[in-house]
Amino acid sequence: MMVTKSHARMRLNDTLSLTYGALRGAPTRTGLMLLAMAIGVAAVVVLTSLGEGARRYISDEFTSLGTNLLIVLPGRSETSGDMATLLMSDTTRDLTLDDARALMRSRYIRRLSPINVGSSQLSWRERSRDISVFGATHDLLAIHHWKMAQGRFLPLVEMDRATPVCVIGARLSSELFGNRPPVGEWVRLGERRFRVIGVLATKGRTVGIDVEEIVVIPVASAQALFNEASLFRIIIEARDRDAIRHASAFIKTTLRKRHQGEEDITLITQDAVLATFDKIFQSLTFTVAGIAAISLAVAGILVMNVMLVSVSQRTAEIGLLKALGASQRQIVTLFLWEAAMLSFAGACIGLLIGLGGSWLIGYLFPAITMGAPLWAVVAAVGVALLTGLLFGVMPARRAARLNPVLALVHHR
Amino acid sequence: MIQLQQIHRIFKVGDQQVHALNDLSLTINGGEYLSIMGPSGSGKSTLLNLIGLLDQPTSGEYTFNNQKVTTLSDDQKAVLRRDQIGFIFQFFHLVPRLTAIENIELPMVLAGIPSTERRTRVSRILDAVGLAERAHHKPEQLSGGQQQRVAIARATIMQPSVLLADEPTGNLDSASGNDVVEILEALNQQGITLIIVTHDAALGARAMREIKMIDGRIIDDGHQKPR
């Protein structure tokens, strides 16, 4: 009796070269499947990097406003529809310069500026323009990281000193004065006269405020100009990140004490706003990635179909392999390797296209910092491989179950 | 070495049942040279596929090397085919994208034999079938006779005990067909069991034992001729 050798496994490099040969043998089929996979992966990479770019853009914008900022608004913005609070809260007190001054005492607060806002007409000789006026103090420059193009910012004086000086935005300056140096000129705001002492430099970007179009005057002057004792808001810069929490507690207690125990202010921290935006954009990115992943699934289905066709086209070859001693398991392995190779190659091509596309978008729109997050890249390649294998199982099993007799007979 | 007992093989074609093998019993000893002849539809190819473990009997017992084959798993049968049985087909069945060497290597690749050993074995067998200079040619660059010789090299590379040839000369001119038969007979001289299915009477007559089939039955088991 002869001894039957035990079942041996194929060597990996043999498996790979057989598979590779089969793929090269059908370039159209292979190309089609590569394309499908590549598009899916590229879509995930480009869309997630767009989402990530948008998130970074917003986050940069917020940081450019200043760092560790807290903003105090008068009035309680409460969303609970409680009639009692509504009726009682008509005792809202104004936010005053004295409130701002009281906040200066905290060691957690580095600097602050009371803000008053209004619109007025700015005129010089016969030219005039409608503009937004900011009442502020010396510290606003440092809080918002603004820069001066010419002259200097508001002087460091007591908050309630209404000096007749103003700082104007760069575009306003060129529109009113053309090429003449504006510093030293007297302009009119409503009925009052102000001397221009500086021009704000153009900033790269800012949220909300167009720095080039504003006029900044001392807060006390603005109160007089608009005949308004209450402040629009107080902008506060905490000493550092850790101080934000303490500063915010201090602001709340101090103002409650000063307002007869009423908590009639709203306190916004930059961190909280930023975190909210971050969350929104993150979920946006996830959503977009999910949608893109659908195209991967479609690619998977295409891979399955094309492989099914390939199985029926290669019936003779599969029958032959069986006659030569390939087990069902070996046939399944060969076809799964084929699917894996295709998906992997497709994913790599897609990755290149995706990264190239992201780079191109970043190049065309420099404001958006493109960059696919690592998790998205890893997930895209992973999902591509997984779908390829998953959808490769069915064709592979069909190939393995092929009746070798029929397979060999059919080949004429 | 091969024992078939009361083998039935029934195919279903639509509503009809086709009795391809009908209560067939056959014993083949190691080293025999036997031909199976009969008109088309007589079941001779079915018999060959069954012996080659490519097909299953509907009922009956098949013993190969004292081993009951009918109960083996797919993996076990694949290993038996790979190590003990060589197939030769009328249409050669070479993989068109592989060279002669790579085609011959296929069974060893499936068996996981390392490439250095494969190369020595292949070059030895290429010499034996006289194709040393055509080693790196693809099938389309080879004549029919050369292709069939590559197929024989592939069928014998694992040193099987049985060689099953289905119309091995059916697609060849008489000269190259003769070459092929001579190679097969030489292999039989070395001890391999050779079973040829054909409807070519001249080819069938060369065998030591001629089996004639009609309608799934053996009607004539010939006689063992002396060597």
Side-chain angles (χ1 to χ4, degrees):
Chain A
M1 174 178 166
M2 266 177 269
V3 183
T4 305
K5 273 184 233 159
S6 69
H7 186 87
R9 297 183 59 167
M10 285 179 66
R11 288 162 178 272
L12 184 62
N13 56 339
D14 287 334
T15 311
L16 292 182
S17 76
L18 260 185
T19 315
Y20 179 69
L23 288 174
R24 279 201 51 177
T28 323
R29 192 168 63 206
T30 305
L32 201 72
M33 291 201 271
L34 286 180
L35 187 71
M37 275 296 169
I39 288 174
V41 172
V44 171
V45 172
V46 169
L47 289 177
T48 49
S49 61
L50 259 178
E52 183 71 7
R55 193 183 67 79
R56 274 190 222 164
Y57 177 78
I58 293 291
S59 153
D60 286 356
E61 289 284 285
F62 268 86
T63 334
S64 79
L65 271 183
T67 32
N68 307 322
L69 296 190
L70 295 110
I71 298 166
V72 182
L73 306 172
R76 186 106 185 98
S77 74
E78 210 152 26
T79 42
S80 70
D82 189 349
M83 272 316 264
T85 24
L86 269 178
L87 289 172
M88 281 160 66
S89 65
D90 59 358
T91 56
T92 295
R93 289 174 166 274
D94 290 346
L95 205 53
T96 62
L97 279 183
D98 289 334
D99 288 337
R101 222 170 322 190
L103 295 180
M104 294 269 269
R105 290 200 311 268
S106 169
R107 64 193 168 93
Y108 298 113
I109 291 172
R110 188 195 299 276
R111 45 176 85 96
L112 60 78
S113 169
I115 302 280
N116 231 333
V117 177
S119 51
S120 181
Q121 198 172 52
L122 176 73
S123 47
W124 180 72
R125 297 189 184 164
E126 67 280 7
R127 300 183 199 178
S128 68
R129 280 211 48 185
D130 290 324
I131 42 89
S132 304
V133 179
F134 267 65
T137 61
H138 174 78
D139 278 339
L140 191 68
L141 185 76
I143 291 173
H144 277 331
H145 303 163
W146 285 345
K147 294 273 184 314
M148 297 306 294
Q150 295 174 41
R152 52 198 175 79
F153 199 64
L154 300 178
L156 182 58
V157 290
E158 279 297 306
M159 284 177 188
D160 49 10
R161 273 244 338 250
T163 16
V165 292
C166 71
V167 173
I168 61 178
R171 199 181 306 138
L172 272 184
S173 162
S174 65
E175 278 174 12
L176 281 185
F177 301 101
N179 290 328
R180 290 179 61 132
V183 176
E185 296 289 339
W186 285 86
V187 292
R188 293 187 71 84
L189 270 175
E191 297 304 310
R192 289 160 190 268
R193 277 159 51 84
F194 291 85
R195 194 166 54 88
V196 179
I197 56 168
V199 177
L200 286 168
T202 310
K203 268 189 105 184
R205 25 173 214 254
T206 345
V207 176
I209 319 158
D210 190 352
V211 178
E212 300 188 24
E213 293 265 332
I214 56 167
V215 173
V216 187
I217 58 176
V219 65
S221 309
Q223 283 179 318
L225 182 66
F226 300 122
N227 193 20
E228 169 74 72
S230 175
L231 294 173
F232 177 63
R233 63 178 60 152
I234 303 171
I235 291 192
I236 298 156
E237 185 184 326
R239 191 153 295 280
D240 49 51
R241 215 184 155 75
D242 298 326
I244 293 175
R245 201 160 37 88
H246 302 290
S248 125
F250 173 81
I251 292 163
K252 278 185 184 156
T253 38
T254 310
L255 292 182
R256 192 189 302 128
K257 232 180 285 167
R258 292 183 51 82
H259 293 189
Q260 280 85 39
E262 287 280 348
E263 197 169 299
D264 56 0
I265 52 127
T266 303
L267 185 64
I268 301 170
T269 64
Q270 189 186 18
D271 269 20
V273 176
L274 198 56
T276 310
F277 270 98
D278 233 41
K279 224 182 274 174
I280 291 169
F281 274 91
Q282 199 127 59
S283 55
L284 188 81
T285 307
F286 275 126
T287 313
V288 166
I291 292 167
I294 293 174
S295 64
L296 271 180
V298 173
I301 292 169
L302 186 73
V303 166
M304 179 171 75
N305 277 304
V306 178
M307 279 190 70
L308 281 175
V309 173
S310 145
V311 166
S312 56
Q313 279 175 350
R314 278 151 70 188
T315 314
E317 188 185 320
I318 296 161
L320 172 75
L321 284 177
K322 285 192 159 186
L324 295 180
S327 63
Q328 294 199 1
R329 248 192 313 161
Q330 280 179 315
I331 305 270
V332 168
T333 310
L334 277 173
F335 272 82
L336 283 184
W337 267 106
E338 207 172 306
M341 240 177 176
L342 269 175
S343 331
F344 185 70
C348 288
I349 295 170
L351 210 57
L352 286 180
I353 296 175
L355 294 177
S358 303
W359 177 84
L360 192 70
I361 292 173
Y363 178 77
L364 295 177
F365 306 98
I368 305 171
T369 332
M370 295 288 288
L374 187 66
W375 64 261
V377 172
V378 172
V381 175
V383 171
L385 273 178
L386 199 74
T387 44
L389 282 178
L390 213 63
F391 286 106
V393 169
M394 216 255 269
R397 289 172 68 112
R398 179 170 293 188
R401 294 219 190 96
L402 220 64
N403 182 347
V405 177
L406 291 177
L408 289 167
V409 167
H410 273 274
H411 181 68
R412 286 281 136 111
Chain B
M1 125 170 245
I2 290 169
Q3 273 182 301
L4 299 168
Q5 285 172 314
Q6 289 151 24
I7 295 284
H8 288 265
R9 181 68 175 101
I10 299 166
F11 293 110
K12 279 195 180 133
V13 183
D15 297 338
Q16 283 192 313
Q17 290 198 333
V18 178
H19 226 122
L21 295 178
N22 194 351
D23 195 29
L24 183 142
S25 297
L26 178 64
T27 303
I28 299 168
N29 296 314
E32 271 197 87
Y33 176 11
L34 138 157
S35 66
I36 304 172
M37 300 207 291
S40 35
S42 60
K44 54 189 194 308
S45 286
T46 307
L47 176 61
L48 197 74
N49 289 331
L50 204 122
I51 293 173
L53 300 171
L54 288 177
D55 201 359
Q56 292 254 52
T58 311
S59 68
E61 194 105 302
Y62 175 16
T63 316
F64 185 94
N65 280 342
N66 301 325
Q67 202 171 8
K68 274 187 193 165
V69 175
T70 20
T71 55
L72 292 181
S73 73
D74 173 74
D75 270 5
Q76 290 169 311
K77 279 193 275 194
V79 170
L80 261 186
R81 275 200 301 272
R82 191 186 73 203
D83 297 340
Q84 301 292 337
I85 300 168
F87 284 94
I88 291 154
F89 308 95
Q90 181 178 358
F91 297 96
F92 324 131
H93 279 304
L94 300 180
V95 181
R97 61 168 192 276
L98 301 181
T99 63
I101 282 197
E102 289 164 341
N103 266 291
I104 296 170
E105 274 187 329
L106 264 182
M108 295 192 286
V109 166
L110 292 171
I113 293 171
S115 66
T116 43
E117 192 188 333
R118 295 203 305 248
R119 294 286 150 167
T120 41
R121 282 217 232 168
V122 169
S123 62
R124 207 181 305 144
I125 210 153
L126 274 174
D127 283 340
V129 296
L131 281 175
E133 322 86 75
R134 319 239 86 189
H136 294 286
H137 287 57
K138 297 253 171 92
E140 58 184 14
Q141 299 165 302
L142 299 172
S143 72
Q146 289 169 332
Q147 289 190 46
Q148 194 61 302
R149 278 186 277 159
V150 172
I152 293 172
R154 182 178 64 189
T156 52
I157 193 79
M158 297 296 286
Q159 294 161 326
S161 47
V162 185
L163 209 50
L164 304 174
D166 192 351
E167 300 282 9
T169 61
N171 234 18
L172 301 176
D173 60 73
S174 59
S176 45
N178 200 48
D179 287 349
V180 163
V181 174
E182 273 172 10
I183 293 174
L184 292 177
E185 286 174 350
L187 286 163
N188 174 246
Q189 295 287 316
Q190 291 160 28
I192 206 165
T193 309
L194 177 62
I195 304 175
I196 294 180
V197 162
T198 182
H199 49 240
D200 175 357
L203 174 60
R206 293 173 70 146
M208 302 293 152
R209 181 178 170 192
E210 292 175 60
I211 290 176
K212 294 202 170 61
M213 286 182 70
I214 286 178
D215 292 339
R217 294 169 193 270
I218 293 174
I219 53 158
D220 182 3
D221 196 346
H223 298 290
Q224 276 212 259
K225 300 175 209 168
R227 285 202 175 180

